[in-house]
C-alpha cells in the first residue's frame, strides 16, 4: 500500500535538492528519497522532478511512495570474522572486507550482527532493531576492529565514549604519493558530495572532521600511514586523504590510480582498523585490542616493499 504527502515547500528548503529535502521533511534516508524520486514519486506544482532538482519556495510538493520493510538481522555465518575478545559486556571482532556492520536497506551481503547471531552471541537491544548493540561502524570495504555492546550499560557507556571522543581509534592506510608534511592533521568539514549519492566530500557546511596522520614507511609511489581519528565521519579517512591528493591506494571511489591498484592486486582501499582502545564499560579499566593485516593488504604491502 502506498503512502503520500502533499505540502507547500517551506521557505527554509528553497533551493534544496529534492532528495535532501525529503530526508529533512519526511525522515527518509537520502538513498530512499532518491529512489522515490527516480520512480516518479515526487512532483512540484504538478511537474515530476528528479532527485537533484531544486525546490522552489511556496511551490506545492506531492510525494508518493511505497514503504519499505525495515531491514532485519539474519543469522548467517561470516567466514573470516574473528572474535578478538568476548566477555559479559562486550564482544570485539576483527571484521573482514565485504562485511557491513549491520543490515540496511539495499544491502544483501553479510553483516557483523548476522555473524554474531549465527555464532550464538546475544547483544544489547539498545538502538534500532537492525543495528542493536552497534556503537560504531566500519565501511564495508574497510577491515579491522569493531566493538559491539552486549548489555544496555555497555551500549550507553560506549556510545558516550565515542561521542566524547575518548575512544582511541588507530588505522593504517597506504596512500598514493608522499604527504607533505609527513606528519600532520587534516581539519576539514565533511558532508554529502554535491553531485554523487554514494560519496562524501570536504564541504563548507559539513560536519567538523579531524584526522591526524603520521608517515610510518615511504615507498617510491606510496606511503604507509598511521592514522588517529578524532572524529568518526562516514568515509572520513578516505575523503580527507583524497582531498590532500593522496587517496588510499585501491580506492577507486575517491580517485585512486587503477594501474597501481592492479599492480598491487587490490580490489578495495588499503585501509585497516589496527587498534581500538577505550575504558571497559564493566570494569572502568583501559583496554586495548589490536589486529594484524588481512592477506590482501599484506600482499600489497609486500609488493610495495619490493618496488
Amino acid at each position: 500500500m502506498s503512502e503520500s504527502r502533499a505540502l507547500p515547500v517551506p521557505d527554509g528548503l528553497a533551493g534544496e535538492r529534492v532528495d535532501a529535502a525529503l530526508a529533512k521533511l519526511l525522515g527518509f534516508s537520502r538513498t530512499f528519497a532518491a529512489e522515490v524520486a527516480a520512480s516518479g514519486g515526487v512532483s512540484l506544482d504538478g511537474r515530476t522532478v528528479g532527485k537533484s532538482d531544486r525546490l522552489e519556495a511556496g511551490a506545492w510538493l506531492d510525494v508518493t511512495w511505497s514503504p519499505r520493510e525495515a531491514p532485519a538481522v539474519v543469522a548467517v555465518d561470516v567466514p573470516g570474522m574473528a572474535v578478538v575478545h568476548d566477555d559479559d559486556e562486550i564482544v570485539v571482532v576483527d571484521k573482514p572486507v565485504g562485511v557491513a556492520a549491520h543490515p540496511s536497506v539495499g544491502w544483501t551481503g553479510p553483516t557483523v550482527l548476522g555473524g554474531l547471531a549465527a555464532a550464538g552471541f546475544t547483544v544489547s537491544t539498545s538502538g534500532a532493531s537492525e543495528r542493536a548493540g552497534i556503537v560504531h561502524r566500519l565501511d564495508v570495504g574497510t577491515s579491522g576492529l569493531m566493538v559491539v555492546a552486549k548489555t544496555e550499560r555497555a551500549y550507553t557507556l560506549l556510545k558516550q565514549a565515542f561521542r566524547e571522543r575518548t575512544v582511541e581509534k588507530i588505522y593504517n592506510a597506504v596512500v598514493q604519493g608522499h604527504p607533505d608534511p609527513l606528519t600532520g592533521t587534516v581539519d576539514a568539514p565533511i558532508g554529502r558530495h554535491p553531485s554523487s549519492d554514494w560519496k562524501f566530500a570536504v564541504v563548507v557546511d559539513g560536519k567538523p572532521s579531524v584526522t591526524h596522520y603520521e608517515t610510518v614507511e615511504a615507498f617510491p609511489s606510496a606511503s604507509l600511514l598511521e592514522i588517529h581519528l578524532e572524529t568518526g565521519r562516514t568515509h572520513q579517512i578516505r575523503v580527507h586523504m583524497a582531498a590532500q591528493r593522496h587517496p588510499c591506494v585501491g580506492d577507486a571511489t575517491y580517485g585512486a590510480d587503477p594501474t597501481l591498484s592492479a599492480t598491487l592486486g587490490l580490489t578495495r582501499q588499503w585501509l585497516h582498523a589496527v587498534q581500538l582502545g577505550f575504558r571497559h564499560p564493566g570494569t572502568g579499566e583501559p583496554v586495548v585490542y589490536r589486529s594484524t593485516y588481512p592477506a590482501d593488504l599484506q600482499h600489497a604491502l609486500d609488493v610495495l616493499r619490493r618496488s
Side-chain angles (χ1 to χ4, degrees), residues 143-172:
S143 51
L145 296 170
M146 275 186 60
V147 58
V148 179
K150 296 176 71 175
T151 67
E152 314 319 309
R153 175 177 65 174
Y155 181 88
T156 299
L157 292 175
L158 286 172
K159 286 289 280 189
Q160 180 180 0
F162 276 98
R163 186 168 55 250
E164 295 177 350
R165 305 180 185 179
T166 60
V167 177
E168 181 186 55
K169 298 171 286 184
I170 301 180
Y171 293 73
N172 279 179

Side-chain angles (χ1 to χ4, degrees), residues 5 7-16 21 24-25 44 55-61:
R5 286 284 302 277
L7 67 164
V9 174
D11 290 344
L13 292 182
E16 191 85 59
K24 294 175 182 176
L25 282 171
L44 203 60
L55 297 187
E56 303 161 14
W60 198 258
L61 180 67

Side-chain angles (χ1 to χ4, degrees), residues 24 116 126 129 148 152 158 189 193 212 244 246 288-289 292:
K24 294 175 182 176
L116 288 174
S126 296
S129 60
V148 179
E152 314 319 309
L158 286 172
H193 194 284
H212 307 283
Q244 304 301 304
H246 299 291
V288 178
Y289 305 99
T292 57

Side-chain angles (χ1 to χ4, degrees), residues 10 15 29 46 55 63-64 71 87 128 131-132 148 155 160 182 198 213 225 233 239 244 257 259 268 302 307:
S29 69
L55 297 187
V63 186
T64 302
D87 60 38
R131 54 180 183 271
V148 179
Y155 181 88
Q160 180 180 0
L182 295 177
W198 308 105
Y213 71 88
L225 307 182
R233 309 304 178 199
V239 170
Q244 304 301 304
D257 177 7
T259 302
R268 54 108 164 195
D302 292 342
S307 62

Side-chain angles (χ1 to χ4, degrees), residues 44-302:
L44 203 60
D45 283 341
R47 174 178 56 88
T48 301
V49 291
K51 64 183 180 182
S52 58
D53 288 331
R54 304 284 174 170
L55 297 187
E56 303 161 14
W60 198 258
L61 180 67
D62 285 280
V63 186
T64 302
W65 72 96
S66 296
R68 301 180 71 163
E69 290 186 12
V73 175
V74 178
V76 177
D77 183 52
V78 177
M81 188 174 80
V83 173
V84 175
H85 174 83
D86 173 42
D87 60 38
D88 290 342
E89 299 281 347
I90 61 173
V91 56
V92 179
V93 302
D94 199 340
K95 184 188 84 67
V97 66
V99 179
H102 58 76
S104 60
V105 174
W107 175 253
T108 58
T111 67
V112 169
L113 289 184
L116 288 174
F121 288 87
T122 301
V123 301
S124 162
T125 58
S126 296
S129 60
E130 75 276 9
R131 54 180 183 271
I134 294 291
V135 293
H136 71 126
R137 293 176 291 184
L138 294 179
D139 295 344
V140 170
T142 300
S143 51
L145 296 170
M146 275 186 60
V147 58
V148 179
K150 296 176 71 175
T151 67
E152 314 319 309
R153 175 177 65 174
Y155 181 88
T156 299
L157 292 175
L158 286 172
K159 286 289 280 189
Q160 180 180 0
F162 276 98
R163 186 168 55 250
E164 295 177 350
R165 305 180 185 179
T166 60
V167 177
E168 181 186 55
K169 298 171 286 184
I170 301 180
Y171 293 73
N172 279 179
V174 173
V175 302
Q176 292 181 193
H178 308 107
D180 183 13
L182 295 177
T183 298
T185 296
V186 183
D187 185 348
I190 291 176
R192 291 277 180 177
H193 194 284
S195 61
S196 174
D197 291 332
W198 308 105
K199 293 172 63 175
F200 291 79
V202 171
V203 292
V204 174
D205 59 347
K207 294 181 180 179
S209 308
V210 181
T211 302
H212 307 283
Y213 71 88
E214 178 181 354
T215 301
V216 175
E217 196 171 350
F219 315 103
S221 59
S223 303
L224 173 64
L225 307 182
E226 178 172 295
I227 294 175
H228 294 245
L229 284 186
E230 189 171 315
T231 53
R233 309 304 178 199
T234 303
H235 296 184
Q236 179 173 321
I237 294 172
R238 300 164 66 191
V239 170
H240 272 172
M241 291 299 104
Q244 304 301 304
R245 299 187 179 180
H246 299 291
C248 292
V249 171
D251 193 356
T253 299
Y254 289 102
D257 177 7
T259 302
L260 179 58
S261 302
T263 299
L264 300 179
L266 284 174
T267 56
R268 54 108 164 195
Q269 64 266 15
W270 205 114
L271 180 60
H272 188 69
V274 294
Q275 186 168 311
L276 190 61
F278 49 87
R279 287 198 173 274
H280 191 283
T283 67
E285 295 298 316
V287 291
V288 178
Y289 305 99
R290 296 179 178 84
S291 168
T292 57
Y293 302 146
D296 61 335
L297 301 189
Q298 185 62 58
H299 170 77
L301 198 56
D302 292 342

